Amino acid sequence: MRYKKRKYFLAGRINLIQRSKIRELFEKARKMKNVISLGIGEPDFDTPEVIKEAAKRAIDEGYTHYTPNAGIPEFREAIAEYYRSHYRIDVSSDDIIVTAGAYEATYLAFQTLLEAGDDVIIPDPAFVCYAEDAKIAEAGIIRLPLREENDFQINPDELLEAITKRTRVLVVNYPNNPTGAVLTKETVRAIADIAEDYNLYILSDEPYEHFLYEGAKHYPMIKYAPDNTILANSFSKTFAMTGWRLGFTIAPKQVIRDMIKLHAYVIGNVTSFVQIAGITALRDRRSWEAVKRMRHTYAERRKVVLKYLEEMPHLTPFRPKGAFYVWAKIDPELDMSSEDFANWLLENARVVVIPGTAFGKAGEGWVRISYATKRGQLIEAMERMKEALSGL
């Protein structure tokens, strides 16, 4: 008996999300020789040895099984200890869930808080995952422009104007990716007050909290709006643990309970021995000494990039006070879009930078330059860019 060949269709929701322009540029660069990438947002350092040794010991000690969905209790307590000691914030381990990086934290938060027809306010420019996660949650997206004249901070007055009766969530990401901006304490307090007044949740994504320059300080949103904040954080940047996929979320009890419920069906639990390594990362002074060295190195690289850019034609840098990126403005007289400029630089200087439009429409006219790259390569890339741009 013959059967008719059936057609198979993908779920429509998969067509809502777009492929990252960052990855598209990397794939193009991968086919070319002698390319230096200043694009990827990943520390070039190895994970501190003390953390790696802790993971190895954990495997030998039998941490190879399931853990509680929310995470190993001792690890969650270590996270709570960190916020109590570092920021003087009283956090309960019961309000913490261990996630597969901050990526999963964002997904869980949006799926838990948003329904079809709800609105989420997302800054523009902003990291790429927020808008795509919002689409999967079938939420409306309101983009809030971050302006150079305001040092790329959220403007509380513009935030008030953006709020609708359907607004449920506001995304905050500082130190900021891609601009490197930080929030003043006054702005943090203003945002917190608005969230409380309008009954909004704030998804505050804070993975760059330890990479600050020129005396800048980080003010965790949860300190100022504890009942409204879902704090997402990650070990990826702080401890150079991107491949470990280790993060966490702190949220009000009613939110964390439902996030755990969803997390249980998404991945069950984060890898057991990775969580044990996370305890060492937070509690061992040697891991924090490594963070201090990384911060010092980033600060030196930042100086190098800013010095070159300030002397380079056709690019004007914004001075970042956080993260490990420089947000640079393209000379309007070049009459090039951000994507055209990034592609031109790749072809003519063999250097990868990320077009600002990868982070939203307000990123047009800008590029993101990562200095999470060895000093020698960084200088070589700057020289190439300077030579290529001088010929325009």
Side-chain angles (χ1 to χ4, degrees):
M1 183 177 179
R2 284 185 149 195
Y3 289 93
K4 224 176 180 184
K5 192 172 181 181
R6 294 177 61 189
K7 278 188 177 179
Y8 291 91
F9 298 95
L10 297 175
R13 75 178 70 88
I14 203 67
N15 295 318
L16 295 173
I17 56 177
Q18 296 177 352
R19 196 149 182 265
S20 168
K21 292 180 181 178
I22 299 174
R23 295 294 169 190
E24 288 177 9
L25 199 62
F26 285 159
E27 287 184 9
K28 181 177 178 180
R30 207 172 285 131
K31 298 172 184 175
M32 302 169 68
K33 292 181 180 178
N34 193 27
V35 170
I36 299 174
S37 177
L38 304 183
I40 195 162
E42 178 176 27
D44 61 305
F45 300 100
D46 194 13
T47 304
E49 198 65 32
V50 63
I51 299 173
K52 293 194 291 184
E53 290 301 325
K56 294 172 190 175
R57 278 197 312 276
I59 293 171
D60 291 339
E61 291 169 5
Y63 285 95
T64 56
H65 301 279
Y66 293 134
T67 78
N69 294 131
I72 294 171
E74 186 183 357
F75 182 34
R76 291 157 68 202
E77 182 53 40
I79 295 167
E81 282 173 11
Y82 163 73
Y83 278 90
R84 287 195 290 266
S85 64
H86 201 81
Y87 294 111
R88 297 182 182 177
I89 301 172
D90 189 17
V91 172
S92 168
S93 61
D94 292 335
D95 299 336
I96 297 171
I97 175 176
V98 181
T99 57
Y103 262 116
E104 193 208 356
T106 302
Y107 175 79
L108 293 178
F110 280 15
Q111 289 295 322
T112 300
L113 298 173
L114 294 167
E115 293 185 307
D118 288 342
D119 284 344
V120 53
I121 297 175
I122 300 174
D124 188 356
F127 185 56
V128 296
C129 78
Y130 308 130
E132 304 312 311
D133 281 342
K135 291 174 189 175
I136 296 170
E138 299 182 67
I141 299 169
I142 300 170
R143 297 306 294 255
L144 183 68
L146 303 179
R147 304 185 190 281
E148 182 183 10
E149 58 267 29
N150 195 38
D151 291 333
F152 295 105
Q153 297 186 77
I154 290 172
N155 183 315
D157 292 332
E158 290 188 338
L159 171 59
L160 280 170
E161 290 177 10
I163 295 170
T164 73
K165 63 181 180 181
R166 295 184 300 275
T167 305
R168 297 290 177 268
V169 177
L170 162 67
V171 174
V172 175
N173 167 223
Y174 290 90
N176 183 256
N177 176 11
T179 66
V182 298
L183 290 182
T184 63
K185 185 190 285 189
E186 292 72 24
T187 303
V188 172
R189 281 179 166 162
I191 293 169
D193 288 345
I194 290 168
E196 289 173 346
D197 290 346
Y198 287 84
N199 197 27
L200 304 180
Y201 280 111
I202 304 168
L203 174 66
S204 188
D205 191 10
E206 305 180 11
Y208 296 97
E209 61 178 325
H210 288 287
F211 302 126
L212 298 163
Y213 319 100
E214 297 183 3
K217 291 185 178 180
H218 175 62
Y219 303 98
M221 189 62 69
I222 199 169
K223 187 168 186 172
Y224 301 92
D227 297 328
N228 298 72
T229 299
I230 292 87
L231 187 154
N233 210 332
S234 170
F235 286 61
S236 293
K237 316 299 184 182
T238 302
F239 299 105
M241 293 174 68
T242 52
W244 297 63
R245 307 317 304 133
L246 184 62
F248 60 89
T249 303
I250 306 171
K253 278 185 172 54
Q254 72 274 15
V255 177
I256 212 76
R257 181 188 62 232
D258 288 339
M259 288 178 72
I260 292 168
K261 194 161 48 175
L262 177 58
H263 169 81
Y265 290 106
V266 174
I267 65 167
N269 64 266
V270 171
T271 305
S272 53
F273 54 84
V274 168
Q275 294 186 54
I276 296 297
I279 297 171
T280 294
L282 290 173
R283 289 179 172 169
D284 197 299
R285 63 174 177 77
R286 290 169 291 179
S287 61
W288 288 108
E289 287 168 359
V291 173
K292 186 177 180 180
R293 289 193 295 272
M294 285 188 270
R295 182 168 55 244
H296 176 76
T297 302
Y298 286 138
E300 291 302 310
R301 293 174 181 175
R302 172 182 171 276
K303 289 178 185 175
V304 169
V305 175
L306 286 174
K307 184 176 183 297
Y308 267 99
L309 289 174
E310 284 160 2
E311 297 171 353
M312 200 179 292
H314 307 303
L315 279 176
T316 305
F318 168 73
R319 287 187 75 85
K321 291 192 176 180
F324 41 65
Y325 310 107
V326 173
W327 188 238
K329 186 192 292 184
I330 305 162
D331 184 349
E333 291 186 6
L334 291 182
D335 196 27
M336 282 190 197
S337 70
S338 293
E339 285 192 49
D340 288 344
F341 181 84
N343 278 294
W344 182 90
L345 209 56
L346 175 59
E347 290 166 6
N348 291 273
R350 291 293 195 267
V351 174
V352 175
V353 299
I354 303 302
T357 46
F359 307 99
K361 289 181 181 178
E364 184 58 88
W366 296 78
V367 290
R368 190 192 77 176
I369 299 167
S370 170
Y371 48 88
T373 305
K374 295 284 185 292
R375 181 185 174 90
Q377 280 195 308
L378 205 54
I379 291 173
E380 171 64 21
M382 291 293 107
E383 290 285 358
R384 291 185 188 184
M385 288 170 61
K386 186 177 180 180
E387 182 180 355
L389 288 168
S390 294
L392 279 175

